Amino acid sequence: MMSDEDIKEYHNIGKAIKHNDKYNYITGRQITDHESGTRVYEIKNDRLPSVTTILGATKNQQFLKDWKAKVGEKEAERIKNVSSARGTSMHKFLESYVTGVGYDDLTELGQAAKPMAQKVIEVGLAPVEEYYGSEVTLHYPGLYAGSTDLVCLHNGYETIVDFKQSNRPKKKEWIEDYYLQIAAYAMAHDYVYGSTIRQGVIMVCTPDLYYQEFRIQDAELRQWKHKFLKRLDMFNELKFDEKERTKPMKEEDFKNE
């Protein structure tokens, strides 16, 4: 026979997480250039590069090039598209759970993503006491913008959460850019909303339902913030160099020739 506590827990399964409207989030428009893969956010008439665009432009691409050479361009593109679609569906299942809005995806990939989302819900979201925003657009005025999956109270800490799907288990040294994303979002949130984000949690699930969680707090989070700022500087230098290369020549440029 079920105890009163068991009955209470049973009836809470599938219910939305409590929402706290502590932060009045600003909305923005996302603009993607599909040809180049770059993304900007338009916020208050200002166009800011996305965090993922900054990281993509400044990361070492050698591992990706080696992998593409190994599996072939066509197969690499197929894997990328499948992973992206499955990840999008998993995110939608998780967003619907957090906000309490019904959602289903009856496609083959959608049905593969559903149990992945359920695993994240059962394990990853269990310590979440309340949430402040889901699919939140964050920006650091004049510098960058992006979208994080969840801002919440997790084990007593105000936390940035990112959900990730992966084809295989991850090692910490492989996911540096995930930490940098979290750090960028935490900085932006604190600057705009006067918060004190103390923790970042990356929740990863594979198609065979292997769940992993990576957390950074306080001093370690600050270290990743410094590392992101270095990548931001590198990005701005690259953009400056690109502008210099493409700057139209003026008449005086020819005078000494």
Side-chain angles (χ1 to χ4, degrees), residues 51 55 176-184 224 227-228 231:
V51 170
L55 296 177
E176 179 175 308
D177 279 10
Y178 293 175
Y179 290 105
L180 293 170
Q181 276 183 280
I182 289 280
W224 285 105
K227 289 178 183 179
F228 175 76
R231 293 279 286 272

Side-chain angles (χ1 to χ4, degrees), residues 88-255:
T88 297
S89 185
M90 187 184 87
H91 276 73
K92 286 181 179 176
F93 277 116
L94 289 166
E95 183 185 7
S96 73
Y97 170 77
V98 169
T99 59
V101 177
Y103 172 78
D104 206 353
D105 183 344
L106 299 178
T107 66
E108 186 179 343
L109 278 176
Q111 291 304 295
K114 193 172 186 177
M116 294 168 67
Q118 192 60 40
K119 176 63 76 172
V120 175
I121 290 165
E122 289 171 2
V123 184
L125 295 183
V128 175
E129 299 147 60
E130 60 186 23
Y131 83 99
Y132 308 115
S134 174
E135 295 297 320
V136 179
T137 297
L138 296 171
H139 76 294
Y140 200 111
L143 295 180
Y144 62 84
S147 178
T148 193
D149 297 324
L150 186 66
V151 186
C152 63
L153 192 66
H154 179 287
N155 274 332
Y157 294 107
E158 291 201 348
T159 301
I160 300 287
V161 175
D162 250 10
F163 305 126
K164 303 290 185 184
Q165 83 86 41
S166 177
N167 292 324
R168 59 177 177 147
K170 297 289 190 187
K171 290 183 180 179
K172 186 173 180 178
E173 57 266 31
W174 297 348
I175 58 170
E176 179 175 308
D177 279 10
Y178 293 175
Y179 290 105
L180 293 170
Q181 276 183 280
I182 289 280
Y185 299 147
M187 271 193 293
H189 198 287
D190 286 350
Y191 184 85
V192 173
Y193 300 105
S195 59
T196 305
I197 300 293
R198 291 186 56 194
Q199 178 177 246
V201 180
I202 301 154
M203 301 180 183
V204 184
C205 193
T206 65
D208 58 359
L209 306 186
Y210 183 77
Y211 176 79
Q212 290 177 283
E213 190 168 284
F214 301 88
R215 295 190 201 184
I216 46 173
Q217 293 176 350
D218 296 333
E220 189 180 4
L221 179 57
R222 283 195 295 276
Q223 288 172 3
W224 285 105
K225 287 177 181 179
H226 291 306
K227 289 178 183 179
F228 175 76
L229 290 174
K230 287 180 181 177
R231 293 279 286 272
L232 180 61
D233 283 343
M234 195 188 306
F235 176 78
N236 287 328
E237 285 173 14
L238 288 170
K239 295 303 288 181
F240 177 78
D241 289 346
E242 187 180 315
K243 282 180 183 176
E244 286 297 297
R245 286 197 305 270
T246 57
K247 189 166 65 176
M249 294 186 77
K250 298 175 183 176
E251 187 179 338
E252 51 265 32
D253 294 328
F254 298 96
K255 285 180 180 178

